[in-house]
Amino acid sequence: LMATDTDGGNLTYSINSFDAYYFRVNPTSGEIKFKTLPDYESLKKTYKFRAKVTDDGGSSDTQVVSINIDNINDNTPKFTSKNKKSVNEEQTGAITLVASDADNKVNKIDTLEFSITSGADKDAFNIDKISGEVTFKNSKKPDYESKKISYSFKVKVSDTLFSATQDINITIKDVNDNAPKFTSDNNKTV
């Protein structure tokens, strides 16, 4: 807070009303500070109080002050999808990753991007960096009968500043996809 007095002398600052209890005021300098740091993701985005300045003679002036809180990227994204999935053999879809970021709940300030970062089976998959859809590469489509029935890799979700990782495990389920074949000789003499 800043004020002037043409008579000179000392000025004393105070605040009251509305949301004044969220703040501390230095009565000499007029500096206003939050008692606890505000967070845009909380319910309160605007704060109001009545400021008063008083001179040595007891004369005063008041004004209503409004402070609006801006949203900044101060939260790490979090995976909300499960890290294990069982899928049928011979399909390309593996898992769709889902994540949330508290910074995006009210107004979107970040775009979340997904990636596969490491793991024994990371090269068997493609990932759509925006949708989080993970698919088997065409040449790596799973076949239960090949005995490779488990895949593991690590994924990452990032906003423009923060990131989180998650280990993923995909298990392949057997599907009746092979026709029976006779193994006996079709010519018999009796």
Side-chain angles (χ1 to χ4, degrees):
L1 300 174
M2 293 190 317
T4 59
D5 185 7
T6 54
D7 294 328
N10 295 319
L11 299 176
T12 303
Y13 297 91
S14 61
I15 60 173
N16 62 39
S17 302
F18 310 113
D19 301 317
Y21 56 90
Y22 287 104
F23 300 93
R24 283 191 296 269
V25 60
N26 181 316
T28 308
S29 70
E31 180 181 30
I32 302 285
K33 290 185 177 182
F34 279 96
K35 290 179 181 175
T36 59
L37 292 176
D39 188 3
Y40 187 87
E41 287 75 36
S42 72
L43 297 176
K44 194 139 184 73
K45 301 193 184 358
T46 301
Y47 297 84
K48 282 175 137 178
F49 56 84
R50 186 177 314 279
K52 182 177 181 181
V53 61
T54 307
D55 67 12
D56 289 334
S59 297
S60 65
D61 188 19
T62 62
Q63 77 177 26
V64 174
V65 176
S66 257
I67 298 175
N68 297 313
I69 306 303
D70 285 335
N71 195 8
I72 61 169
N73 184 4
D74 62 340
N75 291 288
T76 300
K78 293 180 170 62
F79 281 98
T80 56
S81 54
K82 298 194 183 291
N83 67 336
K84 295 179 182 181
K85 181 140 187 219
S86 294
V87 298
N88 291 335
E89 66 176 319
E90 302 295 336
Q91 72 174 31
T92 57
I95 191 170
T96 299
L97 305 172
V98 180
S100 66
D101 189 333
D103 295 320
N104 288 344
K105 285 185 180 172
V106 177
N107 57 343
K108 197 168 181 122
I109 65 168
D110 305 315
T111 298
L112 298 180
E113 288 193 5
F114 298 93
S115 60
I116 297 174
T117 60
S118 61
D121 301 307
K122 73 179 186 115
D123 293 332
F125 298 93
N126 293 316
I127 187 167
D128 182 300
K129 69 180 188 174
I130 302 301
S131 72
E133 182 181 9
V134 178
T135 56
F136 286 94
K137 291 182 178 173
N138 285 338
S139 62
K140 307 278 185 180
K141 201 184 295 185
D143 183 6
Y144 188 87
E145 286 73 30
S146 74
K147 303 301 181 206
K148 175 76 172 155
I149 60 169
S150 180
Y151 294 84
S152 62
F153 52 94
K154 186 178 288 257
V155 294
K156 178 169 81 170
V157 61
S158 302
D159 62 20
T160 55
L161 192 58
F162 300 104
S163 65
T165 60
Q166 183 178 50
D167 291 323
I168 301 293
N169 293 296
I170 306 290
T171 303
I172 306 306
K173 296 188 292 186
D174 191 15
V175 174
N176 188 358
D177 61 339
N178 295 304
K181 293 181 182 175
F182 281 105
T183 56
S184 59
D185 188 5
N186 63 347
N187 291 319
K188 288 282 183 190
T189 306
V190 232

